[in-house]
């Protein structure tokens, strides 16, 4: 549709996840109209991210040194590991301010249709961490979808012989939701995961 660099920019932006053709075009024209200093700052940050950011050698969260800030924090417990799919899931759990242990980022979930099996995930590294004998509980915080459930089940079966306590995040109705809009699976999980009211 457009010539040269403009079309190249639209094409590259369109390759980003969640950015469709119209959004890519809108962003491209925003960049064209932006102040050159703002565009340079964006380009500099993109370059810095690729050079400075890496994965933590322990948990595979994003980090700017060999270890992420969670693994470096001596105040956090070493006996509980929360397993998540992606670094963005670490941020989601951290926002709750409920978890004070360490993490392990798998780098995805088992998805045979996409060609992602256990060997493509950081499961081998997790098993190495579990052999230290320090870990008492493994929290499986994978997404509550088919791939996340398959991954959680696989991990639970894999670590069962180790005698660890393996837990799964509860799932059910969202706060502020209505029963009439809940699907059968979500409502079923809410019933099976119900707890006593302490009044």
């Amino acid at each position: 549709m457009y010539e040269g660099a403009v079309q190249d920019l639209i094409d590259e932006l369109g390759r980003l996840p969640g950015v469709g053709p119209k959004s890519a075009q809108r962003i491209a024209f925003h960049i064209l109209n932006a102040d050159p200093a703002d565009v340079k700052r964006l380009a500099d940050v993109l370059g810095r991210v690729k050079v400075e950011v890496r994965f933590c050698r322990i948990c595979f969260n994003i980090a700017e040194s060999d270890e992420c800030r969670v693994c470096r924090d001596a105040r956090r417990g070493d006996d509980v590991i929360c397993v998540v799919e992606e670094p963005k899931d670490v941020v989601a759990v951290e926002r709750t301010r409920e978890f004070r242990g360490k993490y392990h980022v798998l780098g995805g979930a088992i998805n045979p249709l996409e060609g992602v099996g256990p060997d493509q995930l950081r499961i081998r590294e997790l098993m190495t961490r579990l052999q230290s004998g320090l870990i008492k509980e493994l929290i499986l915080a994978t997404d509550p979808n088919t791939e996340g459930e398959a991954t959680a089940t696989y991990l639970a079966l894999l670590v069962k012989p180790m005698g660890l306590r393996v837990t799964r995040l509860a799932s059910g109705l969202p706060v502020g939701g209505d029963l009439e809009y809940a699907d059968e699976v979500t409502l079923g999980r809410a019933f099976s995961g119900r707890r006593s009211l302490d009044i």
Side-chain angles (χ1 to χ4, degrees), residues 128-199:
T128 301
R129 288 180 74 186
L130 296 178
Q131 289 170 358
S132 70
L134 297 171
I135 313 302
K136 303 223 178 341
E137 181 181 1
L138 191 66
I139 301 171
L140 302 177
T142 53
D143 290 343
N145 55 25
T146 306
E147 295 81 12
E149 293 294 337
T151 305
T153 302
Y154 179 85
L155 289 173
L157 291 170
L158 198 61
V159 302
K160 188 176 182 179
M162 301 175 94
L164 293 174
R165 179 175 184 229
V166 179
T167 57
R168 180 93 169 106
L169 287 186
S171 58
L173 298 171
V175 174
D178 293 324
L179 285 180
E180 64 180 304
Y181 299 118
D183 62 271
E184 295 83 12
V185 174
T186 301
L187 196 52
R189 286 188 180 156
F191 267 99
S192 65
R194 67 190 184 276
R195 56 189 170 81
S196 299
L197 275 180
D198 297 323
I199 298 174

Side-chain angles (χ1 to χ4, degrees), residues 104-121:
H104 188 85
V105 181
L106 293 172
I110 295 171
N111 186 347
L113 296 176
E114 297 289 325
V116 180
D119 292 339
Q120 282 75 46
L121 304 176

Side-chain angles (χ1 to χ4, degrees), residues 6-197:
V6 175
Q7 188 60 50
D8 291 343
L9 178 59
I10 292 170
D11 292 343
E12 289 304 313
L13 290 169
R15 293 175 54 191
L16 296 171
V19 178
K22 288 187 179 182
S23 294
Q25 183 177 319
R26 200 169 21 255
I27 295 167
F29 279 100
H30 172 79
I31 290 171
L32 281 172
N33 292 324
D35 186 83
D38 292 340
V39 176
K40 183 178 181 337
R41 195 168 51 250
L42 174 62
D44 290 345
V45 168
L46 288 171
R48 273 185 46 222
V49 161
K50 289 308 291 178
V51 171
E52 296 175 13
V53 177
R54 60 193 68 137
F55 293 107
C56 174
R57 68 177 180 83
I58 298 171
C59 74
F60 302 97
N61 189 14
I62 54 173
E64 289 193 4
S65 63
D66 283 346
E67 295 180 11
C68 70
R69 64 175 179 77
V70 175
C71 288
R72 287 192 316 261
D73 190 345
R75 297 169 299 172
R76 299 189 77 112
D78 288 324
D79 59 340
V80 181
I81 291 180
C82 180
V83 178
V84 295
E85 293 178 22
E86 302 290 346
K88 61 184 170 54
D89 301 326
V90 171
V91 174
V93 174
E94 284 296 287
R95 267 193 255 120
T96 68
R97 300 181 192 273
E98 293 287 327
F99 181 64
R100 299 299 306 156
K102 303 281 177 85
Y103 293 94
H104 188 85
V105 181
L106 293 172
I110 295 171
N111 186 347
L113 296 176
E114 297 289 325
V116 180
D119 292 339
Q120 282 75 46
L121 304 176
R122 296 185 188 105
I123 293 174
R124 192 176 304 108
E125 294 86 347
L126 173 63
M127 297 306 289
T128 301
R129 288 180 74 186
L130 296 178
Q131 289 170 358
S132 70
L134 297 171
I135 313 302
K136 303 223 178 341
E137 181 181 1
L138 191 66
I139 301 171
L140 302 177
T142 53
D143 290 343
N145 55 25
T146 306
E147 295 81 12
E149 293 294 337
T151 305
T153 302
Y154 179 85
L155 289 173
L157 291 170
L158 198 61
V159 302
K160 188 176 182 179
M162 301 175 94
L164 293 174
R165 179 175 184 229
V166 179
T167 57
R168 180 93 169 106
L169 287 186
S171 58
L173 298 171
V175 174
D178 293 324
L179 285 180
E180 64 180 304
Y181 299 118
D183 62 271
E184 295 83 12
V185 174
T186 301
L187 196 52
R189 286 188 180 156
F191 267 99
S192 65
R194 67 190 184 276
R195 56 189 170 81
S196 299
L197 275 180

